[in-house]
Amino acid sequence: MSTQAVEIQILGRSLKVNCPLGQEDALRAAAQDFDQRLKDLSERTNINNAEQLLMFTGLNICNELHSERQEQHQSDANLSNRINQLSETLDKALQIQPKR
């Protein structure tokens, strides 16, 4: 897979990151979101230590991801149960149909 170096800004620092071709805009958007989260956390908590900001922001993102995965898992389970119920209902309806 081909990659391209993309320059991003995090906490005022320029970084060059290798990125798969065609994913440059997504990387830039992710970097902007991450940078904004770092700035927001710094403003809310008055933490100025870059290492702490990175650690806490990373933990916050992991917590969001974990919550989203749990919600997705629950949604998948609910959908699977509903599909099984519908399948059983259809099977019962087909069994009581008069044969032709």
Side-chain angles (χ1 to χ4, degrees), residues 17-92:
V17 179
N18 284 335
C19 176
L21 290 176
Q23 296 296 313
E24 299 88 355
D25 290 340
L27 173 61
R28 286 185 190 101
Q32 286 175 343
D33 178 45
F34 186 60
D35 191 51
Q36 188 61 53
R37 288 171 182 254
L38 290 164
K39 289 174 184 174
D40 292 346
L41 182 64
S42 178
E43 289 172 7
R44 280 194 324 270
T45 62
N46 292 320
I47 295 173
N48 294 316
N49 179 301
E51 186 176 308
Q52 286 182 326
L53 282 172
L54 290 166
M55 185 179 2
F56 289 130
T57 300
L59 284 169
N60 286 338
I61 291 169
C62 286
N63 184 52
E64 288 175 24
L65 179 60
H66 180 73
S67 294
E68 289 293 327
R69 284 180 175 164
Q70 284 182 319
E71 287 178 25
Q72 185 64 49
H73 178 73
Q74 186 61 46
S75 292
D76 290 350
N78 290 342
L79 183 58
S80 180
N81 288 338
R82 185 68 180 136
I83 289 170
N84 288 336
Q85 290 172 346
L86 288 170
S87 178
E88 289 173 10
T89 301
L90 284 171
D91 286 344
K92 288 177 185 176

